[in-house]
Amino acid sequence: MSETSADVAVIGGGISGIACAGALAAHGLRVEVIDRGHAIGGRLATQTMRDTGMPCDGRVVDVGASYVTADDPAFVAVVRDWVDRGVAREWTDTFHVADSAGLIGPKLGPIRYAAPAGMRTLVVDLASRLPEDLVRVTHPADVERIEVTDSGVSLHGEGVDDAAYRAVALCGPDPQMSSIAPPGAVHGALQSSPTWEPVMALTAAYDERSWPDLDGVFVNDDAILTFVADDGRRRGDDAPVLVAHSTPVLAAAHLRDPAAAAPAMLAALRHIVAGADPAWFTVKRWTYARPTRSRDEDHVLDGPIGAAGDSWARGPRTQAAWVSGDSLGRALATRLAS
Ligand SMILES: Cc1cc2nc3c(=O)[nH]c(=O)nc-3n(C[C@H](O)[C@H](O)[C@H](O)COP(=O)(O)OP(=O)(O)OC[C@H]3O[C@@H](n4cnc5c(N)ncnc54)[C@H](O)[C@@H]3O)c2cc1C
């Protein structure tokens, strides 16, 4: 995109923000996507395993969303396109179920899709296919305040250009977006948000596989864990790596010191799934991992300010975030055309 300012600023380079930018660009609008992260992707997050001293050093691991499911026709088309081009692949329709005592057995469900190069590449792929003459992605840039004036909407913050936009789309977790939304109906809607739960994601690398053949495990009625993914089978390289997600209660107790959640998570992982301790592990904190419920509306839009994300569109899932961002982009394009 040229140096002239964009029509719309999209705050958030997760899947809802990139979907929103795509819908706006499809209507010929110029868009600036702004994200405070060093990489785009948001909670479709991939980390590189470093300083492990193990053969898996340098390998990427999915530490945010575990997989994608799709039944919305428009999102199904997005996923099919990813699969056709090798960006995503069908992972599994069978996870195991467990409780605090251990594994119970397999359970059939919908097809879960994963990404051979890591879940973040799904967002990177969508962003790479946006028209370069219309969409610019800026990061890291942290929006701290949004001001609505007679000449448009201006953004203030670290690394953020002093430009005025015709509209701003807030695409991400309600608590993060409500902290920067200007006073008005959107701010009100975001503040009356569902509760957001934290999660700790523990990545554990083993010398060899010490657990039964499985793709993932839903852990029910346990105080420590809710889900465990076999990241080697998810990614398709069979590396002996597990990713375990904590309960919100455990995460909330360790938000200031995520590493302190590790001993309890490792003990539960060993007992329920792995049967052994890993040779290396790390913990990633998600303060706003997911909303406890989601709204039926696809997005909120009031004047030049809108909001989208996975607390809209019958989420909270990746699909809902995409549907929500896409619908906000289309609604904003209609409004700006009138
Ligand atoms: C541990 C975990 C497991 C999950 N498992 C699944 C699963 O199995 N299946 C599934 O479908 N979904 C899952 N999800 C949910 C899925 O990840 C989300 O629904 C989806 O990624 C939300 O996308 P989003 O674009 O709405 O928000 P996000 O991905 O959170 O993107 C918001 C972006 O906004 C940026 N941002 C925030 N504030 C600012 C600011 N002030 N200035 C600039 N940028 C800002 C952030 O850096 C971020 O990149 C999981 C999530 C977590 C955390």
Side-chain angles (χ1 to χ4, degrees), residues 11-18 34-37 39-45 63-69 119 123 141-144 160 171-173 176-177 179-180 196 199-201 227 234 245 286 288-291 308-311 316-322:
I11 318 299
I15 195 163
S16 63
I18 297 299
I34 299 169
D35 197 292
R36 67 180 174 197
I40 61 168
R43 281 170 284 155
L44 289 175
V63 294
S66 303
Y67 52 83
V68 168
T69 49
M119 297 294 279
V123 181
D142 192 356
V143 178
E144 288 159 10
V160 177
C171 296
Q176 290 177 343
M177 296 303 152
S179 72
I180 54 171
W196 282 69
V199 167
M200 297 294 171
F227 183 71
R234 168 164 58 196
H245 292 168
W286 292 104
Y288 302 114
R290 55 178 157 247
D310 60 343
S311 67
R317 312 298 287 166
T318 302
Q319 169 174 278
W322 184 90

